[in-house]
Every structure is written in structure tokens, then in C-alpha cells.
Amino acid sequence: MTPISARLQAVRTRIDAAARAAGRDPSEISLLAVSKTWPAGCVRDAATAGQRAFGENYVQEGCAKAAELAALGLEWHFIGPLQANKTRRVAETFDWVHSVERLKIAERLSEQRPADRAPLDVCLQV
């Protein structure tokens, strides 16, 4: 077992215990692993250990990792503030955006999402 897979297993065990203590089904809980500043090789190790969703808050870094690891079919989340001049790359690459606080950003993401991609999931900040 790699250090990353061991750490993921420990987190999953804690999530399972917390869910059960709250009377919830642990399978209803999703873990978003924030991979910013971690190299693509570490993300690959986490994916091998079963982690599917990864969060990035640096557009260039996230796009590079998503491209390098595209064959793994991972789910990519852009987290944090998004500048209007970076919406195209986010719309083309990511599956989720956390969070959008301005109408202008939402409109740009919608307009720039490629037609061959599933709709972009967005969390709105109110």
C-alpha cells in the first residue's frame, strides 16, 4: 500500500464512522481531494487507490494535470475565485466550478462550454 492509498483509506474510515454516527449512509458522501501543488504522479496514485474527484484552484496547473491524466476519466473541480479571463480554459477542462459569485462569470462559462461536453456543474455563491 502506498502512503497516498493509506492516507485515503484513513480518511474514508473517518468519513464512514462520522456518517454512521450521524445516521447517514456513507455511500452518500463524496470525497473531493484537493490536488493543488501535488504532482500528477501523486494524483495518479490517488486515482489508483480509488479517488475519482480532484479539486484545483490554479487554472494552468489543473488544466495540465487534467490533460496528462485524461485517460483515467477523473472528475475535475475548479475551486476558489475565478477570473473572467480564465473562464474559457475552465469551461473546456473542468466538470465543476466552486463557486461562481458573479453573473458575468456564469454567462462566460455557459457560453464557452464546448457543445460535446456534459453541462458544467456550478456552485453559486449567494
Side-chain angles (χ1 to χ4, degrees), residues 10-11 13 22 28-29 32-33 36 44 61-64 83 88-89 92 96-97 104 109 123 125:
V11 169
T13 299
E28 296 174 346
I29 311 294
L32 176 63
K36 71 175 190 172
R44 184 182 306 278
E61 181 182 339
C63 290
Q83 298 170 332
R88 180 171 304 281
R89 295 199 65 203
E92 292 172 347
W96 278 85
V97 177
K104 176 183 177 180
L109 287 168
C123 296
Q125 181 178 332

Side-chain angles (χ1 to χ4, degrees), residues 64-113:
K65 286 179 198 171
E68 183 175 339
L69 303 171
L72 299 178
L74 302 175
E75 180 178 277
W76 293 97
H77 296 239
F78 184 80
I79 56 177
L82 177 58
Q83 298 170 332
N85 66 336
K86 297 185 180 177
T87 55
R88 180 171 304 281
R89 295 199 65 203
V90 169
E92 292 172 347
T93 304
F94 290 84
D95 303 296
W96 278 85
V97 177
H98 307 241
S99 67
V100 172
E101 78 282 355
R102 291 181 287 150
L103 179 60
K104 176 183 177 180
I105 300 294
E107 290 172 339
R108 288 177 64 101
L109 287 168
S110 179
E111 293 165 1
Q112 296 168 339
R113 183 70 169 178

Side-chain angles (χ1 to χ4, degrees), residues 33-60:
V34 177
S35 52
K36 71 175 190 172
T37 73
W38 287 88
C42 291
V43 174
R44 184 182 306 278
D45 289 347
T48 299
Q51 181 61 34
R52 307 313 303 159
F54 293 89
E56 292 281 339
N57 72 337
Y58 299 119
V59 174
Q60 285 181 264

